[in-house]
């Protein structure tokens, strides 16, 4: 009885919906017949560099594909991160979507056969010619779902890296020049600390503090160490010189007052806002802050530079376009990706505060954006992108947050923290490919 | 004849029984099943028997999360019940009689407000209040000449801070329930006690508490369950940090389920939590039955 009633209601609602959306096509229609729809998902804000560039891409796509409409469904980063697997497993999958790069995300989905192998398209359309080797790492995954080799499952459209933002006014006030070596950098922080200012804005509750720790490890590291840690091409000694130096120095910086003793529970958002508010002279974080600083910092002059003395820095391609295995309009998806790689779209991305992967350097006119992109190119050409510390294992992010919080609060010695973060990494190593 | 009459009522239970099966029973059984597997959320689950449970029993973080949970039961069930009793009696007796029922009603609504606010909003505001450098709380303490503290970021203060916020969150609920309960109590009882010269405290202890005992059980039971399930405030305020100092089982389960792609392990934690909640519920209902 009850069941029959709901059935009738559902049917009535469906009829009503069908009456409203007469132009809506059934998704299973053959490709050639009638109007088509490209279902697109991404999670970039409309006023971000990517948001602007992709809005323009949609326009161009619709102009060059008469009879096709693009149905953009804006998602939240968290939404995609937590439920992508389940959605892609159903027939609700979009035709093309932005997805997080890395072993625990795109790698995992590729291993499960949920993503389309893009290799033939890559060769056909020459996307591989546009992407530098270190950008290609996050686009390819092997049969274990490990990045860096194997088939192409995604196409990065932009890039990102960790750099040093600084408040020019506060630097001038203390008479400090932009540091070019690590020693100068430390000396600058010492000057601020002596003057009673905590030099570094740190967010211990989220990603930022662990990236700072990683920058310190990278200052003592070579490429093989990164390959071992991130691509499992060898054994990583967590008590080796790289991590030991990082943990010891981090703890030392807390002691010296370069890192606030009260920064363990600060979220990234609050950290960024405090820099925007001129409360801290230095913020070490990703290029994703760039556009926001450009629009929101009004009261002082600011600039950015690469972490002094490092040949490598945390950074990688941005998130990638993937085409779900269950996508119904793969041909349209490839066309759309191709448009986002065009010079004019890439230039727009660069002039909007993003880091394009295939722009024309001469077309970037904004001086600040030029600086950001030039620094990125310097890293990229010297093979200096070292990915992110939380990538090697699923859920490693939380492990690192907890470890770095213990460093900030002094609840564990650097040595104990290294043990804390080594455990889950090695556990995951045993699971690779299972 | 009588039997067929009784049978007629079952029809009315059918819709909710169907819903209950679809929304609660089936997912719960699936969850129990997944708890015996190794699964990343996609692909085929791999049967591993009791491995998740043996791992759980040896997992220091799991036990730590339960210890923290006990603290939250104190903060969300026991303290609010005690404060709620005193507040309800005060509002009912003094404020209601001296200033009229309107004032009492307004105050009751004010106490209830935190229950109405979305957790996410309230949590973020509390995060600002407790910000170590720019927070209102430290400013206030500074004016009183006290040391600023890192309320949510210092491992020894994070849990007490969260507990204090949870008391604030919960307080309105017992007040409302107890005030409703007090409406039932026969005023003659109070009058007789007053004529015999019993003090306010004695009347509170012997009449108020004994008369609204059923409400007290209901509040304790529902708040204990809420405390065992607590997720939102932890997620918004501390994410279980710093260094696991405020980790609770529900957030721990979520972490494994969604962040670490250990769906099997997350399910096992959720199953243990569910069994615990069922045990607590049965325990409370037993006591209540015996009382009545």
């Amino acid at each position: 009885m009850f069941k029959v009633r709901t059935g009738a209601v559902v049917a009535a609602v469906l009829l009503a919906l069908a009456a409203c959306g007469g132009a809506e096509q059934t998704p299973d229609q053959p490709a050639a017949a009638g109007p088509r729809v490209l279902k697109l998902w991404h999670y970039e804000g409309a006023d971000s560099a990517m948001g602007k560039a992709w809005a323009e891409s949609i326009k161009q796509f619709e102009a060059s594909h008469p009879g096709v409409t693009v149905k953009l469904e804006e998602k939240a980063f968290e939404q995609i991160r937590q439920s992508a697997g389940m959605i892609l497993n159903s027939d609700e999958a979009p035709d093309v979507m932005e997805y997080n790069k890395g072993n625990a995300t795109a790698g995992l989905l590729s291993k499960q056969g949920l993503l389309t192998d893009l290799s033939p398209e890559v060769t056909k359309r020459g996307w591989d010619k546009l992407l530098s080797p270190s950008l290609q790492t996050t686009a390819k995954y092997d049969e274990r779902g490990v990045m860096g080799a194997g088939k192409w499952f995604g196409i990065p459209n932009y890039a990102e890296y960790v750099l040093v933002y600084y408040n020019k006014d506060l630097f001038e006030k203390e008479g400090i020049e932009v540091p070019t070596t690590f020693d100068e950098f430390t000396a600058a922080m010492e000057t601020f600390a002596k003057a009673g200012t905590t030099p570094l804005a740190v967010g211990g509750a989220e990603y930022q503090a662990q990236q700072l720790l990683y920058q310190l490890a990278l200052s003592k590291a070579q490429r093989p160490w990164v390959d071992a840690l991130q691509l499992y091409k060898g054994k990583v000694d967590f008590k080796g010189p790289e991590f030991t130096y990082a943990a010891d120095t981090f703890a030392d910086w807390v002691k010296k007052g370069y890192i606030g003793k009260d920064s363990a529970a600060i979220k990234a958002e609050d950290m960024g806002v405090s820099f925007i508010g001129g409360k801290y002279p230095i913020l070490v974080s990703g290029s994703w802050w760039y556009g926001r600083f450009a629009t929101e910092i009004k009261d002082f002059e600011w600039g950015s530079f690469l972490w002094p003395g490092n040949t490598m820095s945390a950074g990688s391609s941005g998130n990638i376009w993937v085409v779900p295995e269950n996508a119904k309009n793969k041909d349209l998806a490839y066309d759309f990706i191709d448009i986002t790689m065009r010079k004019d779209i890439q230039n727009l991305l660069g002039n909007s505060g993003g880091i394009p992967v295939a722009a024309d350097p001469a077309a970037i006119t904004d001086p600040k954006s030029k600086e950001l992109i030039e620094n990125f190119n310097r890293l990229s050409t010297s093979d200096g992108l070292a990915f992110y510390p939380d990538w090697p294992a699923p859920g490693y992010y939380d492990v690192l947050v907890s470890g770095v919080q213990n460093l900030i609060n002094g609840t564990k010695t650097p040595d104990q923290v290294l043990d804390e973060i080594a455990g889950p990494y090695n556990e995951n190593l045993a699971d690779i490919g299972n | 004849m009588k039997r067929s009459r009784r049978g007629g009522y079952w029809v009315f239970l059918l819709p909710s029984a169907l819903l209950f099966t679809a929304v609660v029973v089936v997912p719960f059984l699936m969850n129990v099943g997944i708890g015996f597997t190794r699964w990343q959320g996609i692909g085929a689950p791999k049967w591993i028997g009791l491995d998740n449970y043996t791992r759980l029993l040896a997992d220091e973080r799991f036990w730590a999360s339960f210890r923290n949970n006990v603290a939250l039961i104190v903060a969300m069930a026991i303290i609010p019940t005690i404060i709620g009793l005193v507040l309800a009696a005060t509002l009912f007796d003094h404020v209601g009689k001296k200033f009229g029922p309107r004032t009492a009603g307004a105050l009751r609504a004010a106490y209830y407000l935190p229950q109405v606010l979305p957790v996410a909003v309230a949590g973020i505001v509390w995060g600002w209040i407790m910000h170590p450098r720019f927070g209102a709380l430290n400013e206030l303490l500074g004016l009183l000449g006290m040391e600023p503290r890192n309320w949510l970021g210092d491992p020894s203060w994070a849990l007490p801070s969260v507990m204090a916020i949870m008391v604030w969150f919960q307080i309105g609920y017992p007040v409302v329930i107890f005030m409703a309960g007090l409406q039932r109590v026969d005023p003659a009882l109070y009058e007789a006690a007053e004529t015999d010269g019993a003090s306010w405290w004695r009347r509170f202890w012997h009449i108020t508490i004994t008369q609204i005992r059923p409400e007290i059980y209901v509040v304790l039971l529902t708040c204990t369950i809420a405390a065992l399930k607590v997720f939102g405030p932890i997620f918004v305020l501390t994410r279980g940090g710093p260094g696991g100092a405020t980790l609770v089982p529900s957030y721990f389960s979520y972490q494994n389920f969604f962040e670490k792609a250990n769906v099997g392990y997350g399910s096992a934690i959720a199953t243990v939590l569910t069994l615990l909640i069922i045990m607590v519920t049965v325990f409370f209902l037993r006591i209540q039955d015996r009382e009545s």
Side-chain angles (χ1 to χ4, degrees):
Chain A
M1 177 68 227
F2 169 77
K3 269 193 155 152
V4 171
R5 181 95 41 94
T6 38
V9 170
V10 169
V13 170
L14 284 177
L15 276 174
L17 282 177
C20 299
E24 194 73 70
Q25 53 130 45
T26 48
D28 298 317
Q29 246 178 319
R36 296 172 67 194
V37 175
L38 174 77
K39 200 159 137 194
L40 165 72
W41 286 4
H42 75 68
Y43 42 80
E44 302 295 337
D47 51 2
S48 69
M50 279 63 80
K52 286 176 189 164
W54 297 345
E56 178 60 27
S57 305
I58 292 173
K59 253 198 228 137
Q60 292 193 11
F61 177 88
E62 286 185 330
S64 60
H65 293 70
V68 182
T69 43
V70 177
K71 191 166 156 225
L72 168 65
E73 295 183 19
E74 285 184 26
K75 301 283 167 187
F77 177 79
E78 287 289 323
Q79 225 178 339
I80 299 263
R81 194 172 69 110
Q82 290 167 3
S83 56
M86 299 176 195
I87 295 165
L88 298 195
N89 228 352
S90 71
D91 54 4
E92 292 297 300
D95 297 311
V96 61
M97 68 187 268
E98 177 189 12
Y99 194 54
N100 309 358
K101 68 274 167 187
N103 298 348
T105 47
L108 180 65
L109 293 196
S110 69
K111 190 171 78 179
Q112 302 283 358
L114 293 172
L115 302 180
T116 308
D117 172 12
L118 302 172
S119 309
E121 288 297 319
V122 171
T123 351
K124 198 171 98 188
R125 296 172 187 258
W127 291 333
D128 49 349
K129 309 271 189 305
L130 300 173
L131 297 166
S132 69
S134 52
L135 292 176
Q136 293 186 18
T137 305
T138 41
K140 298 181 199 167
Y141 297 88
D142 66 14
E143 63 286 351
R144 299 171 305 160
V146 176
M147 64 181 186
K151 295 172 180 160
W152 289 73
F153 285 101
I155 298 297
N157 188 240
Y158 64 101
E160 51 185 46
Y161 68 110
V162 169
L163 62 154
V164 184
Y165 294 99
Y166 73 109
N167 180 323
K168 283 185 180 169
D169 293 17
L170 291 177
F171 267 59
E172 262 167 42
K173 209 173 101 193
E174 297 294 339
I176 301 171
E177 295 290 308
V178 171
T180 51
T181 65
F182 187 69
D183 290 342
E184 284 174 14
F185 188 49
T186 319
M189 291 195 290
E190 183 61 33
T191 311
F192 280 116
K194 278 218 169 65
T197 310
T198 307
L200 294 172
V202 172
E206 289 179 3
Y207 60 83
Q208 188 266 347
Q210 54 183 262
Q211 291 177 0
L212 187 60
L213 181 79
Y214 194 52
Q215 291 294 89
L216 286 165
L218 290 173
S219 71
K220 295 282 173 221
Q222 306 299 326
R223 178 52 64 174
W225 179 83
V226 173
D227 285 348
L229 179 76
Q230 299 278 1
L231 307 175
Y232 322 116
K233 289 182 178 172
K235 194 101 191 69
V236 179
D237 181 3
F238 277 77
K239 297 287 174 77
E242 300 85 0
F243 272 131
T244 304
Y245 173 79
D248 287 346
T249 310
F250 195 101
D252 191 44
W253 282 10
V254 176
K255 233 180 260 131
K256 286 181 173 153
Y258 304 169
I259 294 170
K261 287 186 175 57
D262 53 9
S263 52
I266 305 295
K267 296 196 166 78
E269 173 66 18
D270 294 341
M271 161 200 81
V273 168
S274 67
F275 182 78
I276 292 170
K279 294 189 167 74
Y280 292 90
I282 304 171
L283 169 65
V284 179
S285 194
S287 50
W288 48 89
W289 284 102
Y290 200 89
R292 192 164 160 198
F293 289 170
T295 48
E296 290 188 19
I297 296 179
K298 303 262 193 284
D299 307 335
F300 58 87
E301 286 297 309
W302 60 281
S304 66
F305 53 87
L306 283 173
W307 177 283
N310 271 28
T311 51
M312 292 191 291
S313 176
S316 74
S317 85
N319 292 319
I320 50 184
W321 290 123
V322 297
V323 178
E325 190 52 67
N326 291 344
K328 297 182 180 80
N329 300 295
K330 290 186 185 181
D331 55 326
L332 297 179
Y334 304 145
D335 286 356
F336 178 79
I337 295 173
D338 203 44
I339 290 174
T340 65
M341 301 300 277
R342 280 183 190 165
K343 276 274 180 285
D344 55 332
I345 298 285
Q346 287 285 316
N347 295 343
L348 171 65
L349 200 148
N351 278 318
S352 311
I355 302 169
V357 290
D360 179 2
I364 308 297
T365 47
D366 173 55
K368 268 211 172 73
S369 299
K370 239 188 166 57
E371 180 181 60
L372 179 80
I373 293 166
E374 274 167 7
N375 277 331
F376 174 78
N377 291 341
R378 207 172 306 163
L379 268 181
S380 177
T381 47
S382 66
D383 192 22
L385 295 179
F387 317 115
Y388 293 95
D390 58 314
W391 279 13
Y396 204 45
Y397 178 93
D398 292 314
V399 174
L400 289 170
V401 166
S402 172
V404 174
Q405 284 179 326
N406 286 325
L407 276 180
I408 294 172
N409 283 322
T411 29
K412 285 189 178 177
T413 63
D415 200 55
Q416 287 168 324
V417 169
L418 292 180
D419 283 331
E420 183 187 351
I421 64 174
Y425 178 89
N426 290 325
E427 262 168 53
N428 177 65
L429 218 49
D431 282 348
I432 296 286
N434 296 344
Chain B
M1 195 61 226
K2 216 172 165 185
R3 278 242 311 271
S4 69
R5 279 264 305 274
R6 170 107 29 109
Y9 291 123
W10 287 106
V11 176
F12 292 96
L13 283 177
L14 201 61
S16 56
L18 280 174
L19 269 176
F20 182 73
T21 310
V23 179
V24 178
V25 178
V26 172
F28 178 64
L29 291 176
M30 285 171 73
N31 185 71
V32 173
I34 292 167
F36 297 119
T37 64
R38 222 191 107 82
W39 190 37
Q40 293 187 298
I42 33 182
K46 198 169 123 215
W47 182 267
I48 53 165
L50 288 169
D51 281 9
N52 284 325
Y53 291 93
T54 45
R55 177 177 156 189
L56 204 112
L57 294 176
D59 192 334
E60 177 46 40
R61 286 169 70 84
F62 174 75
W63 292 110
S65 73
F66 267 106
R67 277 198 298 277
N68 296 338
N69 216 196
V70 171
L72 283 173
I73 290 175
V74 171
M76 288 176 69
I78 296 168
I79 297 175
T81 303
I82 295 168
I83 298 177
L85 271 171
V86 176
L87 275 179
T90 313
L91 283 180
F92 191 75
D93 267 357
H94 287 290
V95 181
K97 284 182 183 135
K98 278 201 185 114
F99 303 96
R102 279 212 155 158
T103 318
L107 281 170
R108 183 180 57 189
Y111 289 128
Y112 197 69
L113 198 59
Q115 289 269 302
V116 182
L117 290 175
V119 169
V121 176
I124 286 175
V125 173
W126 273 108
W128 288 339
I129 293 173
M130 293 188 166
H131 191 287
R133 278 207 191 187
F134 319 112
L137 184 59
N138 278 343
E139 289 285 325
L140 207 65
L141 293 177
L143 292 176
L144 301 172
M146 287 157 87
E147 279 290 292
R149 284 197 195 288
N150 188 3
W151 298 105
L152 293 168
D154 180 333
S156 45
W157 282 99
L159 190 58
S161 301
V162 171
M163 285 170 73
I165 294 170
M166 291 323 294
V167 170
W168 173 86
F169 258 116
Q170 289 292 84
I171 201 80
Y173 172 67
V175 170
V176 169
I177 302 277
F178 294 158
M179 279 182 81
L182 286 168
Q183 309 280 3
R184 281 190 303 114
V185 182
D186 186 354
L189 283 173
Y190 286 109
E191 282 157 24
E194 224 165 336
T195 332
D196 290 345
S199 68
W200 188 85
W201 271 112
R202 289 201 54 166
R203 277 178 283 141
F204 173 73
W205 190 251
H206 290 289
I207 302 171
T208 308
I209 302 257
T210 43
Q211 288 290 322
I212 61 168
R213 198 168 277 173
E215 280 84 357
I216 297 177
Y217 281 128
V218 168
V219 166
L220 275 176
L221 173 64
T222 47
C223 287
T224 305
I225 292 174
L228 284 167
K229 292 194 311 189
V230 68
F231 175 84
I234 297 291
F235 182 79
V236 180
L237 285 164
T238 60
R239 306 255 164 118
T246 55
L247 192 69
V248 289
S250 65
Y251 185 71
F252 189 46
S253 168
Y254 159 89
Q255 259 188 344
N256 280 292
F257 207 106
F258 290 108
E259 313 254 330
K260 306 191 180 186
N262 282 335
V263 177
Y265 194 46
S267 299
I269 298 164
T271 306
V272 170
L273 193 57
T274 312
L275 292 178
L276 196 78
I277 289 173
I278 292 173
M279 275 175 352
V280 167
T281 313
V282 169
F283 170 76
F284 267 100
L285 293 177
R286 272 273 167 85
I287 288 189
Q288 220 174 332
D289 278 352
R290 214 179 308 156
E291 291 278 340
S292 54

